[in-house]
Amino acid sequence: MVIGGGLAGLSSAVALAEAGFRVRLLEKRPRLGGRATSYTLPDGAEVDNCQHVTLGCCTNLADFYRRVGAEGKIRFYDRLYFADKQGRRSSIEAGAWPPPLHMAPSFLFFGALTWADKRGIARAMLSIARAGGNSPIAAGASMLDWLHRMGQTPGAIERFWRVVLVSALDEELARTDARYGIEVFWKAFLANRQGYRVGIPSVPLAELYKGCEQAVVQRGGEVRVRAGVREIRVQQDRFAGAILEDGSEIEAHACVAAVPHDVLQKLLSKELSEDGSKLEGLRHLKTSPITGVHLWFDRAVMAEPFLTLLDHTTQWVFNKSLLSGGPETKGGEVRPMGKTEEAAAEEEAAPDGQYLQIVISASYDLVPRSRQEIIDLCVRELGAVLPATRTAKLLKATVIKEINATFSPEPGVDRWRPAQESPAKGLFLAGDWTRTGWPATMEGAVRSGYLAAEALLSAAGQPQKFLQPDLPYEGLSKLWARGKEAYAP
């Protein structure tokens, strides 16, 4: 039995089905995908609950997409686009130099940073690379503390480090364990030249998981939606079944509980999660919010596939019209387009208007604000970077707040994250909040699902490996990382 149809539950279910187990997957919602899914608005529009992206360094997520036949629905971009408060554009992409210097040429011409900012950033990045991603002074420190120790300027912190990390980790720098911030830059920007590439689904998120149900059902299993679980039964320290919300009871030889950590506490008996118990750490995990804003304009207002905004509340703007309908090359990869090509793609993708999606991570300040206040704020900020929005008509808009979107990667949080094997025999845990070595990401969720499947198979006497290795280190990063202990899963 797998409880929960998010990425953690889906990846464990697919892995266990491939290993020969008959799997019953139970999902409370009407669609698979959990927090990374989509749904249909009353007018028929299909929207993601929040735009999710992958990076080249997310090797397990890529493996999962391959297993379920969704890899061709992810389009990768080699150029990152930025806009400052005045609307001036900058971009970063890999050049011909070996890692960790492959992005240095474009970084040198990044117009939003001063030379003092760039010198400080270069020193810090070099420190991360030469330590193989394992900075000894980061132990127990917040990311903001580490940046101050590294002599970063206020401009570098706000216009570089914060821009990347708050989006990647869904938390403010002062509340983030420095280990995770350093790991993001090591794996995505320094260790391998492919690690930073941004992969964006070209279909609504729910469509990515169609192959998951097929992978389970074709092997004799079952996938049930609208099947919420009310209680996980444990008797004499052993998994004994689950009671559904309709009162029916289901038995299984083993169970993977792949639900959010706060939900798991409600499903388990108090003896397993109260103070002093082996799962006590669940009570200490905190969460961070993400806000998604969806805007439909009556005309084309944006040329780039996506933009990262500097000095704004708005963090990412995704050109959904282009991302879901623009030109595509073999394998789902879109190469950086020139200005003329971008304009042509814009005209092709948005003849009757344009749909943009905005993502704001660690959106604590937006939680108490009304839907209309948030829409007005985002439209006002877009006016500075996308001038066409000033005269375009906003046809409709919606706001989706995920109050408990991810667990907070606060300093020292790893001591509260449980392993995939629970104190009860036959009960295993999956979720990005479990001990994966990664923060709360889709990659972390898939890693947890694979690790839970491995733990279950090992307990059943059928050990098998699903977890994929990180991208190989390249160039000087490979030399510096050799003999050093980089962060491991």
Side-chain angles (χ1 to χ4, degrees), residues 1-2 21 24 239 251-256 425-428 456:
M1 181 189 305
V2 176
F21 281 72
R24 176 183 283 122
F239 169 72
E251 295 182 350
H253 292 99
C255 173
V256 175
K425 292 182 180 179
L427 176 61
F428 302 86
L456 191 155

Side-chain angles (χ1 to χ4, degrees), residues 35 50 52 170 260 287-291 401-407 432 440:
R35 290 167 292 166
C50 180
H52 286 67
D170 189 28
T287 58
S288 307
I290 295 178
T291 299
K401 297 180 185 178
E402 292 278 355
I403 307 299
N404 301 306
T406 67
F407 80 88
D432 56 14

